[in-house]
Amino acid sequence: MKSSKTGKEKRIKRNMSLSAVMTYVVVCLVLVACIVGVAVFAGMYRNSVEQNAITNSDQVVSQVKNMITNYIDDMSEIMEMVRINMDESEEVRNDFFKNLLHIRKDVEAITVHSMNGELAACWSRGYTLKDHIRSNLSYTKLDSDELFISAPHVQNIFKDYYPWVVTFSEKVESDGSESKQVSMDIRFANIAAYVDTVGIGTHGYCYIADKEGNIVYHPQQQLIYAGLKEEQSENIRNYEDGTHTEDGIIYTIRSLDNCDWRIIGVSYVDELIESKVAGMIRAVLFVAVMVILATALSGSILAKSFSRPAKQLAAAMRRFVREAESFEFYPVKGTEEIVALSDSFGQMVLQIQELMEKVRNEEITLRKTELSALQAQINPHFLYNTLDSVAWMCEVGRTNEAIEMVNALARLFRISISKGHELITVDQELQHAECYLKIQKFRYKNQFNYTFKVDERCRGYLCNKISLQPLIENCLVHGLDVSEEGEILIEVYEKDDEIVMAVSDNGVGMTEEQCEEILKKDVHKKGGIGIKNVNDRVKIYFGERYGVTITSELDEGTRMELHMPKIMEDDYEM
């Protein structure tokens, strides 16, 4: 025993030593990886951050400039076509403007003004002009013949329609008539939406200003109007096109060639540095992840001998608490102590499951014995009344009916006994039910009729004996009105993977509470086998999903269904 203990102590010391060595190796790997990563990526950051920031900002602003320039050129060409068509006939001119408004959804309206500012003509998509236009924001008197592009403004010449537009205006000289001014209102939302989506870094942006530094459009215009944000317009106005840095802010400026607008990009040095730092951190994290994976690999080797087997055993114990009956234990491998615990726990599981199975079988056996005892009880009132009816028939000379009634009673008892078997065929159960109905029909003096509707394929399946009689008895005792002729329908049919035996009547019906009460009664109040007895027997033999269901409506009748699985006589051991 002493040598065995010494061997165990040596194994423990060796394992602890290996764990310490692995810890030192992991720490060294992490430190080396972090140092190398920081050194490499810090050098990359120092060499590229400034140039990348300037290049990125310039590319973004140039892209915005090109887009707006192309858009304005496109609108200028359309404006030229408008000016040319002003010399055409009224019919040609109207067709051209109508087609233009249909094709170009961004063109809101085309207007013609006299040189004193009076509105001479207007083409739109069916909007109604105001009766009195106090101040036409889309009209600016031109002093030259060059194309004029206004600042964004609200178009206010139509009723209940106020789009945000930019107006292209130009003088038109007509032979033999005074000069006019043609204006085309273009929806500014397209340009604004594009500028809104442009970003330089996380918080950088672009905006449009004129050469005087006045803001034409800003994505944060509401903040500027509210005084919550301010742009350095005075300083920016003096900047030439190019990139300028001031107080940690990078301004990139590009002027448009076809108007007096300037595209100004704003980005932040600190933010761009942070983005580079974030990239460096991602690289370092990548290295760290590689180290962690290596650590996890080496740690898993140790876990196989220590922590993982213990966790598996603890998890098995928790599962056993939840699923004691169906639990299946697989021995856990590991150190000597873990194996010993695993073996002991496995033996305990087997013993507990054997005890649970024994208790369960004893409970089922006891329940079956109780139900068999109930089933074996013959209603003495039913027997006495039947024999009295037979005696009365003999006295009045109705011997043939008496013989038929006695034969039915004998056959009913013979099927009830069925050699002590609990399960009989559906065919035998139907014969038992028919015998019972014949006897009751004699006793009730033909005050009811009955009908069997049976799927012949179901006759060979097995069912609990004396299952239909309690259902039929309930119809006779509780369902049918003795003052009227009653109808009882017995059905047997297949439904998916089940056999359904149903008994329906056209009687007085029951409330939902009465239906529930019937399923709760242990026996019929006159001593017969109750519906609860039938329901319990089916559930014990076949499972909780099977049993009796009752549906009923007052003055309509009651339907009771008995659901059982499809079991053939050859497949079941009696």
Side-chain angles (χ1 to χ4, degrees), residues 321-534:
V321 172
R322 297 192 304 267
E323 310 165 1
E325 291 186 13
S326 61
F327 179 77
E328 186 174 354
F329 178 68
Y330 297 96
V332 177
K333 297 180 180 180
T335 61
E336 184 178 346
E337 292 78 8
I338 293 294
V339 171
L341 286 173
S342 174
D343 293 341
S344 299
F345 178 67
Q347 293 175 3
M348 182 191 70
V349 167
L350 291 176
Q351 291 176 357
I352 292 176
Q353 287 179 334
E354 289 175 357
L355 288 173
M356 292 176 66
E357 183 66 19
K358 184 178 179 180
V359 171
R360 182 174 177 275
N361 290 335
E362 288 178 353
E363 289 180 351
I364 292 176
T365 301
L366 179 61
R367 186 61 176 157
K368 285 184 178 179
T369 303
E370 293 175 353
L371 293 175
S372 297
L374 284 172
Q375 179 182 297
Q377 295 176 357
I378 302 300
N379 189 338
H381 294 280
F382 171 71
L383 181 59
Y384 297 156
N385 292 335
T386 302
L387 294 177
D388 285 343
S389 299
V390 171
W392 174 79
M393 290 179 184
C394 292
E395 289 177 1
V396 297
R398 296 168 59 182
T399 56
N400 290 334
E401 294 181 358
I403 292 171
E404 187 176 352
M405 195 170 183
V406 170
N407 288 335
L409 183 63
R411 191 175 182 187
L412 183 144
F413 285 158
R414 184 165 56 251
I415 297 174
S416 298
I417 296 171
S418 63
K419 299 180 181 181
H421 296 153
E422 166 62 19
L423 300 181
I424 61 176
T425 63
V426 172
D427 185 60
Q428 291 174 311
E429 180 63 20
L430 290 172
Q431 294 178 30
H432 182 276
E434 188 172 10
C435 292
Y436 177 76
L437 284 166
K438 284 182 179 180
I439 294 171
Q440 294 291 40
K441 190 160 180 143
F442 281 122
R443 288 186 52 213
Y444 281 90
K445 299 179 181 179
N446 296 319
Q447 289 183 340
F448 70 90
N449 294 317
Y450 61 86
T451 304
F452 284 88
K453 185 178 179 182
V454 180
D455 185 345
E456 295 300 323
R457 294 173 297 182
C458 299
R459 290 184 179 273
Y461 292 115
L462 293 179
C463 66
N464 296 85
K465 64 182 177 182
I466 316 180
S467 296
L468 284 174
Q469 178 187 327
L471 308 186
I472 297 171
E473 183 180 4
N474 184 80
C475 294
L476 295 173
V477 175
H478 301 288
L480 298 180
D481 188 349
V482 296
S483 62
E484 298 180 3
E485 184 173 333
E487 295 287 342
I488 297 177
L489 173 63
I490 298 97
E491 300 175 84
V492 181
Y493 56 91
E494 294 179 334
K495 183 179 180 182
D496 298 330
D497 60 343
E498 296 180 350
I499 297 295
V500 180
M501 296 197 296
V503 178
S504 307
D505 65 61
N506 62 343
V508 296
M510 294 184 291
T511 64
E512 186 175 346
E513 291 77 13
Q514 289 175 314
C515 294
E516 294 177 356
E517 185 66 23
I518 287 175
L519 287 174
K520 293 178 182 178
K521 289 182 179 179
D522 284 333
V523 296
H524 189 274
K525 58 184 178 182
K526 288 186 178 181
I529 301 172
I531 294 177
K532 183 180 184 299
N533 179 283
V534 175

Side-chain angles (χ1 to χ4, degrees), residues 511-568:
T511 64
E512 186 175 346
E513 291 77 13
Q514 289 175 314
C515 294
E516 294 177 356
E517 185 66 23
I518 287 175
L519 287 174
K520 293 178 182 178
K521 289 182 179 179
D522 284 333
V523 296
H524 189 274
K525 58 184 178 182
K526 288 186 178 181
I529 301 172
I531 294 177
K532 183 180 184 299
N533 179 283
V534 175
N535 191 44
D536 289 345
R537 281 189 293 139
V538 171
K539 290 183 180 297
I540 286 176
Y541 275 89
F542 301 122
E544 288 296 322
R545 62 172 288 194
Y546 304 102
V548 178
T549 59
I550 304 175
T551 55
S552 181
E553 289 194 18
L554 294 175
D555 300 325
E556 294 291 333
T558 303
R559 179 180 177 86
M560 290 173 285
E561 294 183 354
L562 176 58
H563 297 259
M564 292 177 294
K566 294 179 180 179
I567 300 177
M568 296 298 293

Side-chain angles (χ1 to χ4, degrees), residues 241-391:
D241 284 9
T243 302
H244 310 271
T245 303
E246 180 181 336
D247 297 332
I249 302 177
I250 300 175
Y251 295 101
T252 304
I253 303 173
R254 291 287 181 270
S255 298
L256 271 64
D257 300 329
N258 49 11
C259 67
D260 63 349
W261 290 357
R262 307 176 86 192
I263 309 300
I264 301 170
V266 180
S267 56
Y268 302 93
V269 174
D270 291 342
E271 178 184 296
L272 296 176
I273 291 174
E274 288 175 2
S275 66
K276 290 297 179 182
V277 171
M280 183 178 64
I281 291 175
R282 284 195 294 270
V284 173
L285 286 176
F286 176 77
V287 176
V289 168
M290 295 297 101
V291 174
I292 292 172
L293 290 176
T295 304
L297 182 61
S298 60
S300 65
I301 298 174
L302 296 176
K304 289 180 180 179
S305 301
F306 296 100
S307 62
R308 191 170 68 179
K311 290 180 180 178
Q312 290 176 349
L313 189 58
M317 292 178 178
R318 288 193 293 270
R319 289 200 308 273
F320 177 67
V321 172
R322 297 192 304 267
E323 310 165 1
E325 291 186 13
S326 61
F327 179 77
E328 186 174 354
F329 178 68
Y330 297 96
V332 177
K333 297 180 180 180
T335 61
E336 184 178 346
E337 292 78 8
I338 293 294
V339 171
L341 286 173
S342 174
D343 293 341
S344 299
F345 178 67
Q347 293 175 3
M348 182 191 70
V349 167
L350 291 176
Q351 291 176 357
I352 292 176
Q353 287 179 334
E354 289 175 357
L355 288 173
M356 292 176 66
E357 183 66 19
K358 184 178 179 180
V359 171
R360 182 174 177 275
N361 290 335
E362 288 178 353
E363 289 180 351
I364 292 176
T365 301
L366 179 61
R367 186 61 176 157
K368 285 184 178 179
T369 303
E370 293 175 353
L371 293 175
S372 297
L374 284 172
Q375 179 182 297
Q377 295 176 357
I378 302 300
N379 189 338
H381 294 280
F382 171 71
L383 181 59
Y384 297 156
N385 292 335
T386 302
L387 294 177
D388 285 343
S389 299
V390 171

